Amino acid sequence: CCILGANMALPTDDSDIEEETKEPRIRETPEDITFSAIVNTIAFHPARDIIAAGDVDGDIYVFSYSCEESGNQELWSSGHHLKSCRKVAFTDNGEGLFTVSKDKSVHILNVESGKLTRRIPKAHSVAINSLKLIDENLFATGDDDGLLKVWDLRKETSFMEMKNHDDYISDITIDQNKKILLTTSGDGTMCVFNIKRRRFDLQSEFQDGDLTSLAIMKRGGKVACSSSEGMIYIFNWDGFGATSDRFQVQRESIDCVVPITDNILCTASMDGVIRAVNILPNRVIGSVGQHPGESIEQIVKSREGHFIASCAHDEKVKFWDVSNLHTVIVDDYRKRKKCGKLESLSKKAFGYGTGSGFFADLAEECVEGEENSKSDDETFDA
């Protein structure tokens, strides 16, 4: 009886051992993160698997993320802003997190503890809409009235203030040399500033609709600007006054762009679709992901470039695999009129016409790209 009892106990012991050694399921991308309010802005940490998010209530959340099932964890949250958080950005060393808000303030938080380390309460006289960190000491902010300020953390005030836009500043970026700063605005223009000489250099021609976002492409030779009219405008680096090319992507507003490679960027749109777009030759490559029926506020690229994350009006942050885009080459310069379904570029993306419901009824617009700068662009692609 003793031997029988021992044998009967063995299966239970083996089952316990099996449960203990069972490894968690590994996903293609991290799971969605759900919030209690609309998330306006997100940012990836430059060295760790951490993402920050700011919502319309002014709250800041920092999560660690993982491809392991149930691997995402909230690290801390902060409620220091009185109104909607408009932008978040990590410092290059990953130790600080900058946030700007509709409450006109700039906050700097410690990434490890979540504690507020510095606050500029009335950084602008109106709501702040955009933010760009330049180096360990300098950063730029743009507000709803079109005022640009460049700050030095070693001083208590901004050292450069320029009012060249007539509407909100939607986005700010800077070249690799940290010298030329570019802004886009709701007034339909892009402005160029030399922060080394502390001067305004140039304002582009007015374009149709708001200019909503921008990205430096083609090894610094081109700048792509998205618009509220679904257009991408392309500028030569040495010719900011007028566009060298333009590309109609869709009907709805493109609210954010992020470069994936030197030639390919992703666009986030009011129709809830994230598209991969090749710049010169201008082609919509396919769909990376979607927030069905919800306007997307922002997309950002992870530090290693394998993922992008998106936030939208569905109160979720989602992750998308873009690793395959690094091997895509588009080299056809012939004009091509294309009307059809949008190809799905990942397992999570709903390709137009491949599913049911919302996306089954949508069709990509018939567009014909204008490629007026072929000879210049072939030099960049060489």
Side-chain angles (χ1 to χ4, degrees):
C1 291
C2 291
I3 293 173
L4 181 60
N7 288 338
M8 290 177 66
L10 284 176
T12 305
D13 294 341
D14 289 344
S15 178
D16 291 342
I17 293 171
E18 187 178 337
E19 285 185 12
E20 290 175 5
T21 59
K22 186 178 179 181
E23 294 185 0
R25 175 173 169 249
I26 303 299
R27 298 166 50 89
E28 187 179 78
T29 60
E31 293 176 311
D32 299 349
I33 302 174
T34 301
F35 295 81
S36 58
I38 293 173
V39 175
N40 286 327
T41 176
I42 47 179
F44 278 110
H45 193 276
R48 298 164 59 188
D49 291 342
I50 290 175
I51 191 168
D55 70 18
V56 294
D57 293 334
D59 295 325
I60 311 297
Y61 296 88
V62 172
F63 280 79
S64 63
Y65 63 88
S66 170
C67 287
E68 290 186 1
E69 197 166 46
S70 304
N72 299 336
Q73 291 186 340
E74 183 180 331
L75 302 180
W76 54 264
S77 62
S78 167
H80 291 290
H81 281 302
L82 302 176
K83 295 182 180 180
S84 175
C85 178
R86 296 279 185 84
K87 279 289 185 293
V88 295
F90 286 101
T91 56
D92 285 342
N93 63 15
E95 295 176 1
L97 179 68
F98 279 66
T99 67
V100 297
S101 169
K102 188 179 178 180
D103 67 12
K104 310 170 189 176
S105 69
V106 177
H107 289 178
I108 307 175
L109 300 142
N110 180 277
V111 172
E112 286 297 326
S113 65
K115 292 182 179 179
L116 183 66
T117 60
R118 189 163 180 178
R119 182 171 182 260
I120 307 174
K122 295 181 180 179
H124 286 249
S125 60
V126 299
I128 305 173
N129 193 63
S130 52
L131 167 71
K132 180 65 179 180
L133 305 191
I134 299 169
D135 60 27
E136 64 272 14
N137 295 311
L138 305 183
F139 69 97
T141 53
D143 69 25
D144 280 359
D145 280 351
L147 177 66
L148 171 74
K149 289 189 177 186
V150 183
W151 305 78
D152 190 333
L153 287 174
R154 295 164 294 191
K155 302 175 182 179
E156 293 298 321
T157 61
S158 59
F159 66 85
M160 180 175 164
E161 296 187 12
M162 298 283 179
K163 177 72 168 66
N164 299 96
H165 287 297
D166 295 326
D167 207 336
Y168 69 97
I169 295 178
S170 55
D171 200 8
I172 307 172
T173 194
I174 195 163
D175 69 336
Q176 284 190 337
N177 296 324
K178 312 291 186 183
K179 178 184 176 183
I180 303 299
L181 187 143
L182 308 174
T183 59
T184 50
S185 170
D187 65 11
T189 69
M190 178 177 68
C191 280
V192 185
F193 303 88
N194 187 317
I195 63 169
K196 296 293 185 183
R197 298 185 180 181
R198 303 186 183 186
R199 74 184 188 197
F200 162 72
D201 277 355
L202 185 68
Q203 186 172 27
S204 74
E205 293 178 344
F206 287 88
Q207 311 301 331
D208 294 333
D210 302 7
L211 293 189
T212 56
S213 185
L214 76 165
I216 299 173
M217 308 290 292
K218 297 284 185 179
R219 298 188 292 277
K222 301 284 184 179
V223 176
C225 298
S226 59
S227 83
S228 61
E229 301 297 314
M231 186 85 74
I232 291 179
Y233 295 97
I234 301 169
F235 295 85
N236 291 325
W237 185 260
D238 57 354
F240 290 125
T243 59
S244 65
D245 205 350
R246 63 188 66 197
F247 178 34
Q248 184 76 49
V249 177
Q250 62 196 70
R251 295 187 189 92
E252 297 84 357
S253 173
I254 302 172
D255 293 328
C256 184
V257 297
V258 62
I260 305 299
T261 70
D262 227 21
N263 303 315
I264 296 172
L265 54 77
C266 283
T267 67
S269 305
M270 188 174 287
D271 65 0
V273 181
I274 303 169
R275 293 169 174 82
V277 177
N278 192 86
I279 299 298
L280 297 170
N282 301 327
R283 299 285 184 269
V284 176
I285 301 169
S287 167
V288 170
Q290 65 288 313
H291 293 254
E294 301 287 349
S295 179
I296 300 173
E297 290 289 332
Q298 190 178 9
I299 50 175
V300 292
K301 183 175 68 173
S302 64
R303 67 183 189 280
E304 76 289 335
H306 295 161
F307 303 133
I308 61 169
S310 58
C311 58
H313 289 189
D314 57 7
E315 303 179 359
K316 290 181 179 180
V317 169
K318 297 185 176 187
F319 298 83
W320 312 97
D321 181 13
V322 293
S323 56
N324 61 332
L325 292 179
H326 293 272
T327 59
V328 172
I329 298 175
V330 179
D331 56 7
D332 180 11
Y333 275 93
R334 292 173 300 172
K335 282 190 177 182
R336 181 175 64 180
K337 190 172 183 179
K338 184 177 180 180
C339 181
K341 307 302 182 183
L342 188 60
E343 180 184 353
S344 173
L345 299 178
S346 72
K347 293 178 182 177
K348 288 173 63 180
F350 298 162
Y352 282 123
T354 62
S356 59
F358 178 75
F359 283 93
D361 296 332
L362 292 180
E364 193 69 354
E365 283 188 78
C366 297
V367 295
E368 186 168 347
E370 301 173 25
E371 292 165 25
N372 305 321
S373 311
K374 177 179 174 181
S375 58
D376 293 340
D377 304 325
E378 285 177 337
T379 301
F380 282 105
D381 283 343

